[in-house]
Amino acid sequence: MSDGWEQAAFKARVDDVLRRFVAEEADEFARVDPLLEPVAGQLEAAVGEGKRLRAAFCYWGWRAAGQPDSDALVRAAASMELVHAAAVVHDDLIDDSPLRHGRPTAHVALRAAAEGRPGADATGRSLAMLVGDLLMALAGQLFAASGLPAAYLARARPLWTVMARELIAGECLEILRTGAGPDTAASLKVIRYKTAKYTVEQPLLIGGALAGAGARLREGYSAYGLPLGEAFQLRDDLLGLFGDPRRTGKANADDVRGNRPTALLAETWRLAGEADRTRLRALLGRRGPDAGALDAVREVMRRLKAPDRVEAMVDARVEEALDALRAWGAPSHATRVLTRLARSATDRPA
């Protein structure tokens, strides 16, 4: 890139920080007792994959405020990926998802580790819950030990409470909305709190707080981050049902099986007549839907053009984010990179 910043090179820096830090913590954990080795293995597996977008947004929250590149800042930014890893482990557990990045999710892998013992399924789920808890604690530790001055860290620390509160509120809303009457506005609220805020807005704000960003810049971060975070999750919902599991690494039956409150399902329901709604009632929430049931749901969605409407939501939110970015008056190199990040976050292949 002409601005001297390569996303792949940044990802490699974050990967190195995470690999070293989590490996050390996993070794300390397993040293307590050899019985803990499968759990320690899941700590490392949880951070083994990822585009590191959250770390990138935190980094550019710092850089857009006029601060230079910093290895300490990269370590602080990497803590955002541990927050994400914790959220993913908990989310997969709540949704009973079998796959993530093409591999068994933590609760499935840990169930296998407990095979042959009474209550292996409950054991796996309990262990996965604790893996997620430990990952969140490690996120705070990595942030605090990043090497940034204590005064910088103190400016950002209150935002961690906000990020955790909003993330958990969104997860709770999704649980409480699951199986309820489909509603697009309610689904978009779930998206905003469960994903959009901790994926883009809060990492930007935390990076900005570390850098001492002023109120106008922080407002710009939110104006860019919220719609972009929503676009990211809307794209994820489309890929969840219409993407190729070999490329997405996730099972594409999860949203249908769980009858989750996605905007895609809500828009389908809103557009459906009584005959299609009757058909959807028979298909949504079915335990272990087969390929025929998934194809039937996709057929209804395509015929009603619900995926097209969600695509339009994605496009509108990306443009809203980019309009906000142009209004900041941020340094030109930051504008270029954040524009590219907005595209890479939402232009993901199926």
Side-chain angles (χ1 to χ4, degrees):
M1 291 170 63
S2 59
D3 45 52
W5 189 80
E6 288 284 353
Q7 191 169 343
F10 176 79
K11 179 183 181 303
R13 293 172 73 185
V14 174
D15 285 346
D16 185 60
V17 169
L18 292 172
R19 183 172 57 252
R20 291 171 182 269
F21 176 75
V22 176
E24 289 175 6
E25 292 293 336
D27 286 347
E28 288 295 322
F29 186 80
R31 198 168 285 127
V32 174
D33 193 293
L35 197 60
L36 296 173
E37 288 181 4
V39 183
Q42 286 306 304
L43 286 173
E44 295 190 79
V47 298
E49 302 281 350
K51 299 178 183 67
R52 312 312 185 199
L53 287 171
R54 292 159 185 84
F57 285 120
C58 183
Y59 178 87
W60 283 100
W62 165 273
R63 292 293 306 276
Q67 294 283 8
D69 179 63
S70 159
D71 287 339
L73 188 280
V74 171
R75 287 191 290 273
S79 68
M80 301 293 102
E81 298 299 328
L82 289 173
V83 172
H84 177 53
V88 163
V89 169
H90 284 151
D91 196 48
D92 287 342
L93 175 60
I94 291 165
D95 295 338
D96 201 20
S97 298
L99 289 175
R100 175 73 62 167
H101 298 301
R103 294 196 300 266
T105 49
H107 65 281
V108 173
L110 290 166
R111 180 176 65 208
E115 209 66 56
R117 303 177 195 176
D121 183 66
T123 297
R125 297 180 69 82
S126 297
L127 292 172
M129 177 181 68
L130 295 169
V131 167
D133 292 347
L134 182 51
L135 285 165
M136 187 64 84
L138 293 178
Q141 172 60 20
L142 179 57
F143 184 79
S146 63
L148 288 170
Y152 289 24
L153 296 172
R155 289 195 297 248
R157 194 165 292 120
L159 293 176
W160 277 74
T161 301
V162 176
M163 178 169 60
R165 179 172 64 241
E166 292 177 340
L167 170 57
I168 293 170
E171 192 72 68
C172 289
L173 281 173
E174 182 178 63
I175 292 169
L176 293 167
R177 293 291 315 177
T178 293
D183 180 275
T184 301
S187 295
L188 290 172
K189 188 171 189 177
V190 170
I191 284 172
R192 172 165 287 208
Y193 282 91
K194 182 190 169 188
T195 304
K197 284 176 165 286
Y198 99 91
T199 296
V200 186
E201 184 199 26
Q202 286 297 343
L204 279 168
L205 288 172
I206 288 171
L210 290 169
R216 183 173 180 274
L217 188 54
R218 295 196 306 271
E219 289 171 3
Y221 287 170
S222 291
Y224 166 88
L226 279 173
L228 181 57
E230 290 179 2
F232 174 88
Q233 185 57 46
L234 288 166
R235 170 68 62 211
D236 208 55
D237 291 345
L238 284 167
L239 291 174
L241 189 53
F242 290 95
D244 182 346
R246 292 170 297 182
R247 300 186 70 170
T248 65
K250 295 187 284 188
N252 57 10
D254 285 356
D255 289 349
V256 171
R257 175 173 53 82
N259 194 9
R260 294 181 191 158
T262 67
L264 178 58
L265 288 174
E267 280 296 284
T268 302
W269 188 265
R270 186 180 67 80
L271 296 164
E274 193 51 46
D276 281 329
R277 288 186 176 188
T278 299
R279 193 177 186 197
L280 289 169
R281 286 189 193 98
L283 296 168
L284 298 175
R286 180 190 293 183
R287 198 72 186 165
D290 57 22
L294 289 175
D295 286 343
V297 172
R298 293 187 188 104
E299 186 276 325
V300 172
M301 288 179 168
R302 287 191 180 106
R303 178 162 43 77
L304 297 174
K305 300 189 182 304
D308 295 341
R309 295 189 69 85
V310 175
E311 285 280 3
M313 291 180 188
V314 172
D315 292 343
R317 282 162 174 77
V318 171
E319 288 311 308
E320 181 183 347
L322 294 179
D323 286 345
L325 177 59
R326 288 186 283 266
W328 285 2
S332 59
H333 66 285
T335 299
R336 287 194 299 270
V337 173
L338 287 167
T339 298
R340 291 193 179 209
L341 283 172
R343 299 298 185 193
S344 67
T346 53
D347 290 347
R348 289 175 284 160

